[in-house]
Amino acid sequence: VQLQASGGGLVQPGGSLRLNCAVSGSTVSVNDMGWYRQAPGKQRELVARITRGGNTDYADSVKGRFTISRDNAKNTVYLRMDSLKPEDTAVYYCSRIFQDVYRKWLPVGGWGQGTQVTVSS
């Protein structure tokens, strides 16, 4: 399975971006999918997820500002980011995810190429 994230860039605080994750080798509609981000010096964190059933959930830090969605026909997962803040600056990655016995969401497989998001004036 290959995952290609794109759509990042430089944006001013308060601005918006839409990230894209093109998936090949599997079908997004039968996978639980997530967007992660990793800021310099910090651990990678799961910020948004969408289950195969279409349920979504978000980290508290992005709730109300980010929206995850998918297009089954294009086999692509999106992350719409609004009201961006400097602390959203990070490399963003997409991944298939699964829930372990402790109900913790974990990534499946290797990481594809991420996309850099920089929020700065």
Side-chain angles (χ1 to χ4, degrees):
V1 178
Q2 291 190 329
L3 306 164
Q4 180 66 52
S6 63
L10 173 63
V11 63
Q12 293 187 341
S16 298
L17 283 174
R18 189 185 77 166
L19 306 184
N20 314 302
C21 175
V23 180
S24 58
S26 187
T27 305
V28 297
S29 62
V30 300
N31 282 283
D32 300 320
M33 300 293 299
W35 280 98
Y36 287 78
R37 69 183 180 188
Q38 186 167 22
K42 295 188 176 180
Q43 288 191 333
R44 198 168 301 191
E45 62 171 338
L46 178 63
V47 296
R49 60 175 170 84
I50 182 167
T51 68
R52 66 195 72 184
N55 295 318
T56 60
D57 198 17
Y58 303 89
D60 288 342
S61 58
V62 307
K63 199 168 292 185
R65 301 188 297 118
F66 289 12
T67 304
I68 188 171
S69 62
R70 66 176 183 232
D71 185 327
N72 294 337
K74 295 182 178 180
N75 216 33
T76 299
V77 179
Y78 303 100
L79 185 68
R80 171 73 181 188
M81 306 185 296
D82 296 312
S83 303
L84 282 162
K85 304 176 181 180
E87 51 263 43
D88 295 318
T89 296
V91 179
Y92 285 72
Y93 303 85
C94 59
S95 178
R96 293 183 297 159
I97 57 175
F98 79 103
Q99 200 170 26
D100 69 7
V101 295
Y102 303 104
R103 301 185 65 80
K104 180 179 175 62
W105 289 96
L106 298 173
V108 177
W111 296 101
Q113 183 175 353
T115 186
Q116 175 72 48
V117 172
T118 302
V119 185
S120 175
S121 55

